[in-house]
Amino acid sequence: MSFEYRNNVLFCDGISIPEIVKSHETPFFLYSEDFIRRGADVLKKAFIDKGINVSYALKANSNIYLLNCMNKLGLDVDIVSGGELFVALKAGFTGDQISFAGTGKTESDIKYALESNIAQFNVESSFELQMIQKIAKSMHLTANVLLRINPNIDAKTHPHISTGLKENKFGIAMDEVDTILHHPKRYPNINIMGLHSHIGSQILNSEPFMTLIDFMRNYLEKLKNEGIHLTHVDLGGGFGVDYTNPLQTPEENQFVLEKIGHYAKEQLSDYKLFIQPGRILVGNAGLIITKVLGEKLNSEKRFYIVDAGMTELIRPSLYSAYHAVLPLNDTHGKINADIVGPVCESTDFFSKNREIPKLHQGELVAIGSSGAYASSMSSNYNSRPFVAELIVDSKQDVKTIRRRQTYEEMSQLYII
Ligand SMILES: Cc1ncc(COP(=O)(O)O)c(C=O)c1O
């Protein structure tokens, strides 16, 4: 089911979205639980069934209901902050299901993670290793660690979401990795189990992953010859979704994922393997439903101003990301216009200089592929409260899984 048009009307998991809108104030996020279940099944076939652990990268969407779904679907979780650790535990994950990445972990993050008995830290620098050593020692514990390497591999994606190149802030340079691995006694309270890498996001083909797998295999072989025997390899996330087709089914990703899973298992068969997908599980599982507040012409240029904005979806302004615009009733002609939000920034837009469905004041539209890096990147800019999140669940009930923030809640942390 997921998202589909039936007789020109947009449906989510068998429920008409125009019907949902009748009892919910816009803007709101709408998710398909069916999409998430089927996506997890695709990952199970491509990876888990081959013995490769799948940890959902929580940053893509940290709604606790969705996290709880991922947990029930047999996934573990990858976090990047103390706050993400808190929500992961709240959603029902146990410490042994949690790996902790991120370039700037604080002392309190590290302490909280050690107290929670997390499975492993994916460490991004020597200074972080020293911090973990010091804190683990003070707590009379040993911390499990994978070193996040910077393999200088081009993921051929948008420069703002490329992470595996020398010029990126992520990971440890290979000569430094070598030094760390040859001097384990410097870190008596750390158990370095293996290597981690995440080369970027929104990667649409298998080739960069194959390159990473080859790189890992060659480097691990070199280490073995030097008497260093590691056991764990985490290949990160970054599997892309089709933003031009928000009605994409999860099964459309099966082929590429199978290829990666197969090659990883073949080339790194001696290691315990991990991946950390985020976007592919939730990207096309969500839409933003928004209302057209009005239309205006600035000389030649036509704008539709809607009630959602960059506060709900910042990807177009941050990465010039493409998001499709879907009418709830697809009976329109097309028109060249920009769809923009009400936020006081010129970069507050959903689509620019594109042919889009012809709309009118009061009409509702969906912004496609808004399940990943949308709600989790929301802000209160312009004092706009966080919007509601709804899901059509496995019983085909429409459920509110985060209610709209009130003005009172939004301002309650201020002190006068
Ligand atoms: C370390 C790490 N793992 C996994 C991910 C998930 O990436 P994606 O959502 O593209 O799969 C990210 C994204 O930034 C990341 O930084």
Side-chain angles (χ1 to χ4, degrees), residues 230-415:
L230 299 176
T231 50
H232 289 49
V233 179
D234 187 331
L235 298 166
F239 314 99
V241 305
D242 187 354
Y243 280 95
T244 65
N245 177 18
L247 307 183
Q248 182 191 31
T249 66
E251 291 76 15
E252 284 168 49
N253 296 315
Q254 184 93 47
F255 179 73
V256 174
L257 296 174
E258 283 285 353
K259 211 165 146 187
I260 298 166
H262 181 76
Y263 195 63
K265 194 67 201 164
E266 182 186 88
Q267 298 298 315
L268 297 166
S269 57
D270 294 343
Y271 299 90
K272 181 158 176 43
L273 298 176
F274 297 78
I275 56 155
Q276 314 169 315
R279 183 189 317 265
I280 205 163
L281 272 156
V282 286
N284 274 333
L287 303 174
I288 294 173
I289 309 298
T290 181
K291 182 156 69 185
V292 180
L293 297 173
E295 175 182 356
K296 73 173 179 182
L297 275 172
N298 280 356
S299 49
E300 296 292 281
K301 196 141 171 98
R302 184 182 304 274
F303 296 93
Y304 290 119
I305 297 159
V306 295
D307 61 2
M310 64 191 291
T311 39
E312 288 71 53
L313 180 70
I314 201 172
R315 298 189 71 259
S317 8
L318 211 51
Y319 320 118
S320 315
Y322 177 95
H323 284 262
V325 177
L326 304 165
L328 298 196
N329 293 288
D330 191 12
T331 49
H332 303 64
K334 297 268 186 196
I335 194 163
N336 201 305
D338 289 7
I339 298 199
V340 300
V343 175
C344 299
E345 294 290 335
S346 294
T347 52
D348 179 32
F349 68 94
F350 292 117
S351 83
K352 250 191 176 147
N353 301 322
R354 266 172 31 202
E355 275 239 305
I356 53 161
K358 193 165 174 6
L359 301 169
H360 53 78
Q361 190 171 34
E363 188 171 348
L364 293 132
V365 280
I367 309 296
S369 314
S370 298
Y373 304 105
S375 170
S376 59
M377 291 176 116
S378 297
S379 80
N380 283 138
Y381 185 42
N382 280 194
S383 292
R384 286 165 56 83
F386 293 132
V387 305
E389 293 179 284
L390 314 181
I391 196 165
V392 179
D393 72 6
S394 52
K395 295 191 199 106
Q396 287 183 287
D397 287 333
V398 181
K399 222 179 192 158
T400 299
I401 57 172
R402 182 183 73 180
R403 64 172 173 74
R404 175 185 288 273
Q405 191 181 33
T406 64
Y407 289 154
E408 195 54 48
E409 284 164 341
M410 189 176 58
S411 47
Q412 71 191 2
L413 300 179
Y414 296 117
I415 299 161

Side-chain angles (χ1 to χ4, degrees), residues 100-114:
F100 193 167
T103 44
K105 302 176 186 76
T106 65
E107 275 191 25
S108 65
D109 287 344
I110 294 169
K111 191 158 180 280
Y112 181 25
L114 286 170

Side-chain angles (χ1 to χ4, degrees), residues 23 46 48 75 85 87 108 117 119 139-140 147 167 204 209 213 216 289 305 337 343-344 373:
S23 46
I48 299 176
L75 307 187
L85 175 53
V87 287
S108 65
N117 286 318
M139 295 171 74
H140 309 289
L147 299 179
E167 68 213 47
L204 284 163
F209 293 102
I213 292 164
M216 285 283 194
I289 309 298
I305 297 159
V343 175
C344 299
Y373 304 105

Side-chain angles (χ1 to χ4, degrees), residues 209-227:
F209 293 102
M210 306 301 201
T211 310
L212 174 63
I213 292 164
D214 289 342
F215 183 96
M216 285 283 194
R217 185 201 56 225
N218 293 341
Y219 185 61
L220 288 159
E221 250 165 50
K222 171 193 116 69
L223 290 175
K224 242 190 216 169
N225 292 334
E226 294 166 356

Side-chain angles (χ1 to χ4, degrees), residues 55-61 78-80 100-102 122 124 148 161 163 170 196-203 209 234-240 275-282 319 372-373:
S55 292
Y56 168 61
L58 188 157
K59 63 171 82 66
N61 189 318
D78 169 60
I79 60 160
V80 291
F100 193 167
N122 291 337
E124 302 237 8
R148 177 168 178 179
I161 47 177
T163 55
F170 299 98
H196 165 234
S197 185
H198 170 78
I199 53 174
S201 242
Q202 186 51 10
I203 305 169
F209 293 102
D234 187 331
L235 298 166
F239 314 99
I275 56 155
Q276 314 169 315
R279 183 189 317 265
I280 205 163
L281 272 156
V282 286
Y319 320 118
Y373 304 105

